[in-house]
Amino acid sequence: MNNTYTQVNIAQLEELIKAMGAAQTSCNVALDAFVDVMNTLLGSGQIAGTALTGFNRNINVIKNLQSSFTDYCLEATKNLNNIITQEQQIESDYENLYNDLLSVNPEDYVG
């Protein structure tokens, strides 16, 4: 078990989550547009034979990439949110301990 602790910057992690969400949205929009163009070409009858096989394979590669990136973003976001929750709990615990220490009357302290 890893018992080391490295303080994290919650605001930076939240910014990372937002940036990852924006990247996922941008990638999805771009890939969907690309697939739409490819489907239009395929539907027009201009693509046939080996090219048709290649286009269909490329569309599947793009869809798999899109799905994998979405899965990655969901898992990473879940993990980052868990880290944020743990950091907030640690900060709260230490703040409570600090406040408890400050509330001790020095005359009553027995070391």
Side-chain angles (χ1 to χ4, degrees):
M1 184 171 150
N2 184 355
N3 291 324
T4 62
Y5 168 72
T6 302
Q7 186 173 12
V8 297
N9 185 320
I10 292 172
Q12 286 177 332
L13 292 182
E14 289 171 340
E15 189 65 29
L16 177 60
I17 290 169
K18 282 196 309 191
M20 190 168 34
Q24 180 186 357
T25 299
S26 295
C27 286
N28 283 340
V29 167
L31 292 173
D32 286 343
F34 185 70
V35 168
D36 286 345
V37 171
M38 289 178 76
N39 282 329
T40 299
L41 283 171
L42 291 171
S44 71
Q46 299 176 54
I47 309 297
T50 305
L52 180 61
T53 303
F55 266 69
N56 284 325
R57 185 174 54 247
N58 289 340
I59 288 173
N60 287 331
V61 168
I62 291 167
K63 288 180 179 178
N64 287 335
L65 173 66
Q66 198 170 5
S67 177
S68 294
F69 187 56
T70 297
D71 292 346
Y72 167 80
C73 288
L74 290 172
E75 184 67 21
T77 298
K78 183 181 89 174
N79 291 338
L80 289 171
N81 280 323
N82 286 340
I83 291 169
I84 289 170
T85 300
Q86 290 173 2
E87 177 67 21
Q88 289 170 331
Q89 185 61 52
I90 290 168
E91 289 177 4
S92 175
D93 291 347
Y94 278 106
E95 184 176 336
N96 289 339
L97 289 171
Y98 179 72
N99 289 336
D100 289 348
L101 182 62
L102 290 178
S103 69
V104 172
N105 181 346
E107 294 174 357
D108 295 337
Y109 180 74
V110 178

